[in-house]
Amino acid sequence: MKILYVSSEVVPFAKTGGLADVAGALPKALVQIGHDVRIILPRYKMVSLEKYPSKLIIEDLIIKFGTVNEKVNIYETKIPGTEVIVYLVDNDKFFGSRDQLYQVKGEDYPDNLERFVLFSKAVLVMLREINWQPHVIHCNDWQSALVCLYLKVTFGKDPFFARTASVYSIHNMAYMGIFPGDKFNLLDLPKEEFTPEKLEYWGNIALAKAGLVYADVINTVSETYAKEIQTTEFGYGLDGILRSRTKDVYGIVNGIDCDLWNPATDPIIAKHYNANTVSMKSANKLKLQADNKLPQDEKIPVLGIVSRLAKQKGFDILAQAFSQMMEMDLQFILLGDGEPQYQNFFVDAAKKYPKKLAINLGFNAALAQEIYAGSDLFLMPSHYEPCGLGQLISFRYGTIPLVRKTGGLADTVHEFDPKTGEGDGFIFERTTDPFDFLDAVKRALTAFQNKKAWESLQKKVMDYNYSWDTSAKKYVWLYKKALEKIGL
Ligand code: ADP
């Protein structure tokens, strides 16, 4: 099958969160099982054409939208170390000159609508130009949702696209791509597309609706989240549309790239280890403690977090319980990027607990790897979590997750029972009761004291197979469903 994978972020080129991990790994897994999968993403400033040797395959392709006429170049490169073809949409004004992907200093770029209309149109125009007709175009989140719409409404009239179906993956329902309704003319669409059944969202435009309404099939990244987004609590007002399409909505749990996330080969971490040599993990812990200026002590449990600093991730839940948690015998190391209110909270807290708390602000892929390898426990107190990759990466590094029971976390983490040895993590549920969270921390710390049982727990989770093999096959099945929907 020929598949074009459209994503606004892809590892290793550009990343803000889990979407990039998925976009860098799923296509690779699909190529390995014999499909022709190509990726397309914008060429941001950090996607250096020197670092990723690229050839210019189309120059000065004109893309029109609204009253704008922009030229884009299309470069072709590969995911390093693989044969997966990657197309880069190059336009200096909208992408190449931007330091970040979507925002700067916590503020969205004011022209994000223009940027992703340009990208979405360029995707379809360039396919015609290179004369490559994918069976399926797989779009991801609001940044590429318009491709699903254009494929049916405007470009859909072109026989070139008659045999191309679309899949829309929701990685996070809360990010809908909301823009002022008076910018609708930029989309070059008939007025009837701006109604509550289509793109309108309380007078604004919600780009995600282009995917929800027009994709042939829709999926999200865990089975639980596929059900949750069809409820008022998690649907953000779009649950009605999803319920009306419930037969087309699927859940496929994410995998992780087991080549990249591998403590036996990870080029960043201090000491390599595997399930049979998990005791060597402690060298990474000692290094992490030293790097973070915390006392080096194997016996003190280290709790790690690597996360976007956003309400979704449950930092308010953590804040309620924080002072009591910090009274316990533990160390806490955070790496996070995001909302200033959480940054301030942690910076203040770090002054209070210099021997127990280390705060690292910013996006830092290498430090993330060190935290996965060096921590004993990994915290994800999320309010909601479409899939969550942190817990899966933690498993791979023998780091035990402590999570809130929601979405993909509920699907992948099970409470550890010290009596039977069953389970693989620590779970709490209540968001407004700090003691529920604190209890889970206490259970974890007690379990950590039993060195032998802890090591068998680590070995067990390190042997889990969360590679993409199984989920990639499910995507092939999903692509076939999408093709059935267009009668193929
Ligand atoms: P989300 O996509 O909601 O941010 P996921 O758990 O699905 O959450 O994926 C997050 C991914 O981003 C993981 O690979 C995690 O290690 C990485 N990540 C998150 N924050 C940072 C950060 N500040 N620095 C480096 N990596 C980060």
Side-chain angles (χ1 to χ4, degrees):
M1 226 186 287
K2 289 190 285 187
I3 295 133
L4 183 70
Y5 195 90
V6 190
S7 178
S8 57
E9 45 186 282
V10 180
V11 163
F13 305 99
K15 168 169 172 176
T16 67
L19 167 58
D21 290 295
V22 175
L26 170 60
K28 234 161 74 173
L30 289 164
V31 166
Q32 267 158 19
I33 54 176
H35 300 283
D36 180 0
V37 186
R38 307 182 188 182
I39 300 172
I40 186 161
L41 84 152
R43 192 191 75 74
Y44 307 99
K45 195 173 183 177
M46 75 279 274
V47 186
S48 139
L49 298 174
E50 285 77 52
K51 185 166 173 200
Y52 304 106
S54 309
K55 61 175 188 248
L56 179 63
I57 58 165
I58 309 174
E59 199 173 2
D60 290 344
L61 192 59
I62 302 224
I63 310 290
K64 294 185 187 162
F65 57 98
T67 53
V68 183
N69 264 330
E70 273 296 319
K71 284 184 187 157
V72 303
N73 301 315
I74 306 291
Y75 286 91
E76 184 182 317
T77 182
K78 287 186 176 158
I79 294 188
T82 75
E83 287 306 308
V84 183
I85 293 175
V86 178
Y87 299 114
L88 302 169
V89 177
D90 174 62
N91 172 284
D92 221 44
K93 177 173 166 204
F94 288 111
F95 295 110
S97 58
R98 309 292 169 104
D99 285 326
Q100 305 290 325
L101 274 63
Y102 316 122
Q103 48 174 238
V104 65
K105 296 195 179 118
E107 291 283 324
D108 285 350
Y109 291 127
D111 56 357
N112 272 347
L113 180 66
E114 288 85 337
R115 298 173 75 220
F116 288 100
V117 171
L118 173 72
F119 175 60
S120 301
K121 285 203 162 179
V123 167
L124 295 167
V125 175
M126 90 96 194
L127 283 177
R128 262 196 316 225
E129 205 62 24
I130 62 169
N131 196 22
W132 190 66
Q133 287 170 296
H135 296 102
V136 174
I137 301 183
H138 185 164
C139 301
N140 293 278
D141 277 352
W142 66 265
Q143 294 89 338
S144 53
L146 276 175
V147 176
C148 303
L149 182 156
Y150 287 138
L151 190 61
K152 295 280 180 229
V153 176
T154 41
F155 288 75
K157 299 192 183 97
D158 181 344
F160 183 86
F161 292 110
R163 298 173 67 81
T164 298
S166 63
V167 169
Y168 181 65
S169 289
I170 303 163
H171 296 262
N172 194 329
M173 197 65 197
Y175 297 87
M176 291 186 272
I178 306 281
F179 298 97
D182 59 16
K183 283 189 152 188
F184 186 73
N185 60 345
L186 279 174
L187 305 185
D188 295 325
L189 289 170
K191 268 203 316 285
E192 55 269 27
E193 296 302 321
F194 192 61
T195 62
E197 293 75 40
K198 304 277 182 72
L199 290 192
E200 188 191 338
Y201 185 76
W202 308 108
N204 291 316
I205 306 162
L207 288 188
K209 292 181 81 182
L212 302 184
V213 173
Y214 283 102
D216 293 303
V217 298
I218 299 164
N219 86 301
T220 184
V221 289
S222 69
E223 281 175 24
T224 299
Y225 197 60
K227 291 190 199 104
E228 286 175 344
I229 54 175
Q230 299 185 49
T231 66
T232 42
E233 193 185 349
F234 294 98
Y236 298 93
L238 302 185
D239 41 296
I241 296 189
L242 283 163
R243 282 196 301 276
S244 73
R245 298 205 57 190
T246 193
K247 287 204 187 82
D248 298 328
V249 179
Y250 299 89
I252 301 178
V253 72
N254 284 336
I256 53 169
D257 188 328
C258 291
D259 299 332
L260 290 184
W261 300 109
N262 184 358
T265 55
D266 187 324
I268 299 292
I269 65 176
K271 183 89 190 162
H272 289 155
Y273 60 99
N274 60 36
N276 296 322
T277 58
V278 67
S279 60
M280 280 148 70
K281 176 175 161 68
S282 61
N284 296 299
K285 174 169 171 175
L286 293 172
K287 163 104 179 7
L288 184 68
Q289 288 172 319
D291 289 351
N292 280 274
K293 302 189 175 53
L294 298 175
Q296 282 182 294
D297 185 345
E298 267 184 56
K299 292 203 191 71
I300 297 184
V302 170
L303 280 57
I305 288 196
V306 177
S307 178
R308 287 185 293 115
L309 297 179
K311 172 137 202 286
Q312 175 203 343
K313 300 294 179 179
F315 289 105
D316 55 330
I317 305 175
L318 194 65
Q320 294 172 57
F322 205 70
S323 53
Q324 277 143 300
M325 183 178 87
M326 294 312 290
E327 279 165 25
M328 300 180 194
D329 191 20
L330 53 79
Q331 293 175 350
F332 183 93
I333 299 178
L334 173 131
L335 167 62
D337 198 13
E339 292 175 27
Q341 66 186 101
Y342 302 118
Q343 298 194 17
N344 296 340
F345 171 81
F346 285 114
V347 169
D348 288 345
K351 289 180 199 142
K352 247 168 125 180
Y353 308 102
K355 294 238 151 59
K356 294 180 105 172
L357 176 59
I359 300 303
N360 304 276
L361 297 177
F363 190 91
N364 184 337
L367 179 56
Q369 279 155 259
E370 289 170 336
I371 293 180
Y372 287 116
S375 306
D376 299 298
L377 285 152
F378 190 81
L379 299 196
M380 296 179 78
S382 308
H383 283 279
Y384 71 92
E385 200 58 76
C387 174
L389 294 176
Q391 81 281 18
L392 306 183
I393 301 169
S394 298
F395 282 149
R396 185 98 174 118
Y397 282 79
T399 302
I400 308 302
L402 188 159
V403 306
R404 191 169 161 263
K405 187 175 180 185
T406 181
L409 298 174
D411 288 358
T412 53
V413 182
H414 318 87
E415 178 72 24
F416 174 66
D417 181 344
K419 289 199 194 85
T420 61
E422 276 168 30
D424 42 36
F426 300 91
I427 299 175
F428 75 99
E429 193 163 4
R430 294 198 289 280
T431 52
T432 48
D433 171 8
F435 293 101
D436 201 27
F437 169 75
L438 287 166
D439 263 358
V441 177
K442 280 187 199 146
R443 292 196 302 278
L445 299 191
T446 308
F448 178 74
Q449 296 310 322
N450 185 338
K451 207 163 178 293
K452 224 171 130 210
W454 190 262
E455 223 177 270
S456 358
L457 175 58
Q458 288 179 307
K459 278 192 178 49
K460 174 166 82 179
V461 300
M462 287 184 77
D463 280 337
Y464 283 174
N465 180 1
Y466 273 107
S467 72
W468 270 100
D469 301 352
T470 315
S471 295
K473 287 184 193 126
K474 290 190 185 158
Y475 272 98
V476 173
W477 176 89
L478 194 72
Y479 297 148
K480 287 184 182 151
K481 281 268 155 214
L483 285 169
E484 271 170 30
K485 291 289 302 267
I486 60 163
L488 294 175

